[in-house]
Amino acid sequence: MAGSGDVRPRLDTLTIAAVTVAIIAVSSSGALIAYAAAPALAIAFWRNALAVGALAPVAAVRRRDELRGLRAKGALRWCLLAGVALAAHFATWVPAPKLTTVATATALVATQPVWAGLIALGQGRSLGRWTWCGIGAAVAGAALTAGVDFTSGGHTALLGDVLAVVGGLMAAVYTSLGEKARAQTSTTTYTTVCYSVCALLLLTVCLIFGVPLSGYAGSTWLALLALTGGAQLLGHSLLNYALHKISATTISVLVLLEVPGAALLGWAWLGQAPRPAAWPGIILLVSGVALVVLGARRTPVPPTPDPLDLDTDPRSAADRIGEGA
């Protein structure tokens, strides 16, 4: 067994397979959203509601006492605020792949580490030179990508770009708030409460604006189930498992493969591809995000002993990977 710090056992076939499946799972998010013939807010609601349906029984059985003690520990407010931020993330990110290309929306929402770095700066933490270089490259790449959409795709595509960027920002806020909650709660308890708040808020918005929540074709329901089971539950669970062999920083960079993965799925499944002129901006954007991740200060991550334990998550929230995507 590996010791603490950066000493980890050698990679094995199972860990490599887990990371591969996880990246494919998270890469499917944009294509499934674009494919599902349902309103974006309804997709966001069902994605979280179905996840709560899967997590709540586990929390009720294994974490009943912890759920009851959330308020006493002062963690409840952070769970609630994280749920609000997550709802804002989904309300902005989910419409984006329906307005612009899947690849472009995925690349822009992947700016989450950039926003996380700026939030850390606002909290008084210092940013290294490479982090600032990455932020500059990511901003330039996002501007180039949005400029192509504005000149070629019109205002609709540009709106999708803006929503994806805001979605990345709100994902960073959600992660920052989650760090405070996770300091006092298990993953199962935190995720169950957070997803529940998110689903409730999205349900309220859907009811206020008359967004239909049913009457979809069977293919749409299958897409919603795949979105929930894939990107929302399976993908990030397998990334958590891989942390016992791979550092959080490395996984953060590997998850950026979601961008070309989403592009390939969008092209092969939906016949959708980014405009050729957008590729330089997307590549610059992803490269900048990678520099931000590599330049960020990381704490040593101890090994994860049980790959099936939902409550094992040794990372700080700053290292948690794109959980809103």
Side-chain angles (χ1 to χ4, degrees):
M1 180 177 294
S4 60
D6 294 328
V7 179
R8 298 173 186 273
R10 292 183 179 180
L11 284 177
D12 52 47
T13 303
L14 183 58
T15 302
I16 294 172
V19 173
T20 302
V21 172
I23 291 173
I24 293 173
V26 297
S27 298
S28 68
S29 179
L32 286 168
I33 289 170
Y35 171 79
L41 286 174
I43 294 173
F45 162 70
W46 281 116
R47 174 176 178 170
N48 285 271
L50 292 171
V52 171
L55 292 170
V58 179
V61 172
R62 297 181 57 184
R63 296 295 173 181
R64 184 179 305 172
D65 292 339
E66 186 180 5
L67 284 168
R68 291 173 177 171
L70 280 179
R71 179 175 295 181
K73 294 191 299 183
L76 180 61
R77 64 169 178 168
W78 299 117
C79 292
L80 297 178
L81 288 172
V84 173
L86 185 60
H89 162 71
F90 279 121
T92 49
W93 150 241
V94 174
K98 291 182 174 292
L99 298 173
T100 185
T101 64
V102 170
T104 300
T106 304
L108 291 171
V109 80
T111 55
Q112 175 185 344
V114 173
W115 295 111
L118 294 176
I119 289 173
L121 181 66
Q123 294 173 337
R125 306 178 195 176
S126 60
L127 300 182
R129 178 179 59 185
W130 287 109
T131 300
W132 280 114
C133 289
I135 290 174
V139 170
L144 284 173
T145 303
V148 171
D149 271 352
F150 178 72
T151 57
S152 303
H155 295 289
T156 298
L158 182 61
L159 176 60
D161 294 347
V162 172
L163 288 174
V165 171
V166 176
L169 167 61
M170 296 315 303
V173 173
Y174 154 69
T175 303
S176 179
L177 292 168
E179 182 174 8
K180 298 181 181 297
R182 282 288 289 116
Q184 304 175 69
T185 61
S186 66
T187 302
T188 301
T189 297
Y190 165 66
T191 305
T192 301
V193 174
C194 183
Y195 284 6
S196 297
V197 172
C198 179
L200 182 60
L201 287 174
L202 291 170
L203 175 61
T204 301
V205 173
C206 287
L207 293 176
I208 289 175
F209 291 97
V211 177
L213 297 174
S214 61
Y216 312 139
S219 58
T220 294
W221 286 113
L222 288 175
L224 291 172
L225 289 173
L227 186 62
T228 304
Q232 190 99 354
L233 296 175
L234 176 64
H236 297 291
S237 295
L238 289 177
L239 290 175
N240 288 345
Y241 163 68
L243 281 169
H244 79 304
K245 296 285 184 70
I246 305 173
S247 71
T249 301
T250 301
I251 287 182
S252 297
V253 176
L254 288 175
V255 168
L256 291 176
L257 292 173
E258 174 188 3
V259 177
L264 287 173
L265 280 174
W267 170 71
W269 186 17
L270 306 175
Q272 184 186 103
R275 298 166 188 85
W279 276 114
I282 291 176
I283 293 172
L284 182 60
L285 169 60
V286 173
S287 300
V289 174
L291 279 177
V292 171
V293 172
L294 293 172
R297 294 179 176 179
R298 303 288 176 177
T299 55
V301 181
T304 302
D306 184 357
L308 299 180
D309 185 358
L310 291 175
D311 298 317
T312 303
D313 188 352
R315 299 166 295 167
S316 71
D319 288 332
R320 301 181 70 179
I321 314 301
E323 292 190 351

